[in-house]
Amino acid sequence: MNDTICAISTALGVGAISIIRVSGEEAINKVANLFDGKNLNEVKSHTIHYGHIISNGEIIDEVLVTILKAPKTYTKEDIVEINSHGGISTTKKILEILIENGIRLAEPGEFTKRAFLNGRLDLTEAEAVNSLIKSRTDLERKLALNTLSGKVSKKINKVREIIVELLANIEVNIDFPEYEDALEITLENLPPKLNEIKKELENLLEEGKIGKIIENGIKVAIVGRPNVGKSSILNALLKENKAIVTDIAGTTRDIVEGEVELKGIALKFIDTAGIRKTKDVVEKIGVDKSLEMIDESDLVIHVLNNNEVLTEEDKEIMEKIKDKTHITFINKSDLPTKLKIDKKDVVKGNTMDLNGLDELKNKIVELFDLERINNSNLEVVSSAREIGLLNEALNSIDQALNNVSSKLPVDMIAIDIKKAWDLLGEITGESYQDELLDTLFSKFCLGK
């Protein structure tokens, strides 16, 4: 935390401008020693200055240098941003000179880590910075911005305030029983308060389902026996020839993936190998992967051939996916019908004239209620870490309710209530472990 750090904050490659960011106590002074222009130690904060970066008397580049003085900066430390000409050679050369002059290369996410440790951001907001950078859809961007604005943290802190008020009353009852102004917490009046907390946590988790779908997308496995048209459907949905299509059964032997956006949600389509019994070692590996994809996916599209009778292999797949969220797509509707299936909720179509594909997409919108997601306020938890901690907090409150039923002393029940409060604090970073921060910020890009 005492080091002055630097990193390239823009994508390294050919471009008009590159930005090299420096943060720390010595940021301004160190860069001033390399800058031919105004004395950067004497300029006002939040100003930009024209000049050159000089090293050993040689002009390295013509630059604009932004000076940002603590505490009103991203890291709450002094920050200097060097805007150089874009290009790999120039950008790397400036970075190299900064390191030679005693500025350490930043670790991934170290600028945001400092912003968190210095109180500029809480942990949910810090995670949102990374989500914003990686956002692929407009909904992901809006979700990340709402979290970054602190709206999600306020919801978490509201529940913590309810819990801490309850804990405070319990503590007063135990330590100062003679204090009559405090509400006495008993086994009779504790359940309504615990149920209030439980309802708040359940609401946060229910809303979190929206955030999870937006952030992770929907993983869609296209399955079926060989030669029913799975690869053709994938290509039609992606509008590109991603998967090889032939009349030979078993052409697809490994999974083929592609992504499209539907109502602001990323749909991650996976074309799997045709599921059938086979003695071909390579094909069998592909079949096993297909079965794995069924278990791992959020949605299964089971493809049947309208021009063929229902087979035992078709029935085995139907049995395998019966408890999964799935859509049955009857392909090759342009050919004579030989398939007889006692299933009401199916989509019929073909990839020759793209018939039925819009209906298939509409079915996905309906199944995952994507219209509601689009119209929601997006002030929701979204990361696996946050949702996991919310679940743990809910379990602690459930345990407290069970202990009330078992008529344990109130001070014993308070242990589980305090655990829920601590877990919610881990979400916002009120409490944390160094190992967690190292793991969390290592997922960030350099320079952020």
Side-chain angles (χ1 to χ4, degrees):
M1 284 291 291
N2 294 323
D3 292 347
T4 297
I5 57 174
C6 64
I8 300 166
S9 289
T10 46
L12 190 59
V14 177
I17 297 170
S18 287
I19 299 175
I20 301 97
R21 175 182 282 175
V22 185
S23 180
E25 281 186 14
E26 290 293 310
I28 297 173
N29 187 48
K30 293 276 190 184
V31 176
N33 292 335
L34 304 169
F35 183 68
D36 180 24
K38 284 186 178 180
N39 185 346
L40 299 180
N41 287 303
E42 297 177 356
V43 301
K44 292 181 179 180
S45 181
H46 294 71
T47 55
I48 299 175
H49 306 278
Y50 168 81
H52 297 85
I53 295 294
I54 304 289
S55 178
N56 297 321
E58 177 191 353
I59 294 177
I60 303 303
D61 192 25
E62 182 182 32
V63 298
L64 290 173
V65 174
T66 304
I67 299 296
L68 306 162
K69 295 182 180 180
K72 294 184 177 181
T73 70
Y74 184 67
T75 60
K76 298 192 81 171
E77 303 171 335
D78 286 345
I79 287 181
V80 179
E81 291 186 346
I82 302 170
N83 295 258
S84 70
H85 287 95
I88 296 172
S89 177
T90 301
T91 309
K92 290 180 75 174
K93 184 63 178 177
I94 294 173
L95 183 68
E96 179 186 315
I97 292 167
L98 292 173
I99 294 170
E100 286 174 354
N101 281 269
I103 302 175
R104 175 171 63 80
L105 181 65
E107 298 171 358
E110 189 168 359
F111 292 93
T112 305
K113 185 178 182 179
R114 290 188 177 202
F116 165 68
L117 292 172
N118 289 330
R120 167 74 171 73
L121 303 169
D122 70 21
L123 209 51
T124 54
E125 292 164 353
E127 280 187 289
V129 171
N130 199 33
S131 297
L132 185 59
I133 292 169
K134 294 181 176 179
S135 59
R136 301 154 298 174
T137 68
D138 199 43
L139 278 182
E140 283 184 76
R141 178 187 63 79
K142 290 177 181 177
L143 176 67
L145 277 175
N146 272 340
T147 307
L148 186 55
S149 71
K151 292 176 181 177
V152 175
S153 299
K154 285 178 183 176
K155 288 188 172 185
I156 301 295
N157 289 330
K158 175 189 171 186
V159 184
R160 292 191 89 218
E161 287 168 9
I162 296 171
I163 294 174
V164 81
E165 185 178 343
L166 176 59
L167 287 170
N169 269 320
I170 293 172
E171 289 294 324
V172 170
N173 292 166
I174 294 169
D175 296 337
F176 305 99
E178 72 281 2
Y179 191 71
E180 296 179 356
D181 288 345
L183 174 68
E184 184 181 359
I185 304 299
T186 65
L187 294 178
E188 286 70 36
N189 64 16
L190 188 53
K193 296 182 180 301
L194 290 176
N195 280 317
E196 178 190 359
I197 296 166
K198 180 177 179 177
K199 185 177 179 181
E200 292 283 350
L201 293 173
E202 287 174 339
N203 287 341
L204 286 170
L205 282 166
E206 185 62 30
E207 291 173 348
K209 292 177 182 178
I210 293 174
K212 186 178 178 182
I213 288 176
I214 293 172
E215 187 160 287
N216 298 333
I218 300 171
K219 197 172 185 179
V220 185
I222 305 173
V223 304
R225 57 188 175 81
N227 226 23
V228 293
K230 299 184 299 298
S231 297
S232 296
I233 291 170
L234 176 73
N235 290 342
L237 290 167
L238 300 180
K239 297 181 180 178
E240 62 174 299
N241 294 323
K242 188 100 176 186
I244 298 171
V245 177
T246 74
D247 292 330
I248 303 170
T251 298
T252 303
R253 297 195 170 202
D254 201 353
I255 60 173
V256 180
E257 300 182 46
E259 190 171 303
V260 297
E261 184 180 329
L262 180 63
K263 298 288 182 182
I265 304 297
L267 298 185
K268 302 174 182 178
F269 287 104
I270 304 161
D271 176 27
T272 63
I275 299 174
R276 65 173 176 179
K277 292 180 176 63
T278 177
K279 293 181 180 179
D280 186 306
V281 176
V282 177
E283 187 180 358
K284 187 177 185 305
I285 293 171
V287 171
D288 291 340
K289 278 189 177 182
S290 298
L291 296 172
E292 286 177 21
M293 284 299 108
I294 289 176
D295 294 329
E296 294 176 11
S297 63
D298 303 305
L299 170 67
V300 175
I301 297 176
H302 181 204
V303 183
L304 297 170
N305 188 344
N306 179 64
N307 191 232
E308 296 176 347
V309 298
L310 198 68
T311 68
E312 287 303 315
E313 287 167 336
D314 291 326
K315 293 176 183 177
E316 287 175 11
I317 296 170
M318 291 166 72
E319 180 64 24
K320 170 78 176 172
I321 66 172
K322 67 179 183 180
D323 295 325
K324 292 281 297 184
T325 302
H326 68 276
I327 299 170
T328 301
F329 187 84
I330 300 176
N331 194 27
K332 305 186 182 183
S333 60
D334 53 319
L335 299 176
T337 300
K338 296 181 182 178
L339 179 71
K340 292 183 180 180
I341 180 171
D342 185 20
K343 197 173 178 69
K344 294 179 181 178
D345 199 17
V346 300
V347 178
K348 294 183 178 181
N350 65 79
T351 54
M352 297 302 293
D353 55 15
L354 305 183
N355 209 2
L357 294 184
D358 284 341
E359 187 181 346
L360 178 62
K361 292 177 184 176
N362 290 337
K363 185 65 70 175
I364 296 173
V365 171
E366 180 185 324
L367 277 174
F368 290 89
D369 205 0
L370 300 189
E371 291 287 0
R372 181 175 68 89
I373 291 175
N374 267 268
N375 295 322
S376 63
N377 61 24
L378 303 182
E379 297 171 10
V380 299
V381 296
S382 57
S383 76
R385 183 189 73 86
E386 294 162 356
I387 291 170
L389 288 168
L390 277 175
N391 274 310
E392 287 185 54
L394 180 59
N395 290 338
S396 293
I397 297 300
D398 282 335
Q399 185 59 51
L401 283 165
N402 289 336
N403 290 338
V404 170
S405 300
S406 300
K407 300 193 181 301
L408 289 184
V410 171
D411 58 334
M412 295 288 289
I413 297 168
I415 295 172
D416 289 309
I417 302 172
K418 174 67 163 55
K419 184 180 179 182
W421 185 79
D422 287 335
L423 287 163
L424 293 176
E426 286 184 41
I427 294 177
T428 57
E430 292 292 329
S431 58
Y432 62 86
Q433 296 178 346
D434 290 339
E435 293 82 2
L436 167 67
L437 294 190
D438 291 341
T439 302
L440 190 69
F441 289 107
S442 68
K443 297 175 183 177
F444 281 55
C445 57
L446 281 167
K448 193 57 183 173

